[in-house]
Amino acid sequence: MTRFTLNGRAVQVALPSGEPLLQVLANDLGADGPKYGCGKAQCGSCTVLMDGNPVRSCVLPLSAADGRTITTLAGLAEGGRPGRLQQAFIDEQAAQCGYCTSGIILQAQALLQRNPKPSDAQVRAALDGNLCRCGAHNRIVRAVLRAAKGA
């Protein structure tokens, strides 16, 4: 039995401990934010926060989540409304197809927790490992900087 906190809610899962966390989140717990991209921890679509740190859930075994706190995109909402960073992405129209957006927002959330006032270069460096093929990169950076300003 694996027990962890998912978006503020205690959950327990009776599945093989080597099952990828992404599959458990999507198939068994209804978390539809993280997406299966490359399946090799290379693209970042499956990024979730584990104890506040970004991890690639497509290669992370379920056992790694035991006793930890997992946050998906839904966990950033505040009172049923988009959180500050999510709202900044909406305001900047920083998503096109949206497939990678969950992973990018969670990577950005981790950055803002470590560095509440990042520079443009720091945002670009932090998000460098998250791949987006839609070409929304400048809007994504503007959204993170907007959230950092509290707008």
Side-chain angles (χ1 to χ4, degrees), residues 64-109:
D66 195 42
R68 313 295 282 275
T69 297
I70 303 297
T71 305
T72 68
L73 185 64
L76 299 183
E78 299 169 358
R81 302 177 56 116
R84 184 175 67 178
L85 182 56
Q86 293 167 308
Q87 187 61 54
F89 270 69
I90 294 167
D91 293 343
E92 293 292 339
Q93 298 180 11
Q96 290 188 18
C97 83
Y99 197 81
C100 64
T101 306
S102 171
I104 291 172
I105 289 176
L106 288 163
Q107 190 76 37
Q109 179 72 20

Side-chain angles (χ1 to χ4, degrees), residues 35-142:
K35 303 288 190 251
Y36 183 87
C38 66
K40 298 178 180 176
Q42 299 293 309
C43 72
S45 294
C46 65
T47 301
V48 298
L49 299 179
M50 185 163 69
D51 296 337
N53 297 307
V55 296
R56 305 294 167 96
S57 65
C58 69
V59 296
L60 193 70
L62 174 61
S63 61
D66 195 42
R68 313 295 282 275
T69 297
I70 303 297
T71 305
T72 68
L73 185 64
L76 299 183
E78 299 169 358
R81 302 177 56 116
R84 184 175 67 178
L85 182 56
Q86 293 167 308
Q87 187 61 54
F89 270 69
I90 294 167
D91 293 343
E92 293 292 339
Q93 298 180 11
Q96 290 188 18
C97 83
Y99 197 81
C100 64
T101 306
S102 171
I104 291 172
I105 289 176
L106 288 163
Q107 190 76 37
Q109 179 72 20
L111 168 66
L112 294 176
Q113 288 172 343
R114 291 189 318 269
N115 179 0
K117 299 292 180 194
S119 68
D120 183 284
Q122 290 169 323
V123 171
R124 291 178 188 278
L127 300 180
D128 190 47
N130 289 75
L131 303 180
C132 172
R133 302 210 189 315
C134 294
H137 303 91
N138 289 330
R139 289 178 181 205
I140 290 169
V141 171
R142 281 198 312 261

Side-chain angles (χ1 to χ4, degrees), residues 15-37:
L15 290 170
S17 62
E19 191 82 13
L21 179 61
L22 175 62
Q23 288 185 13
V24 175
L25 292 172
N27 298 338
D28 301 289
L29 299 174
D32 59 0
K35 303 288 190 251
Y36 183 87

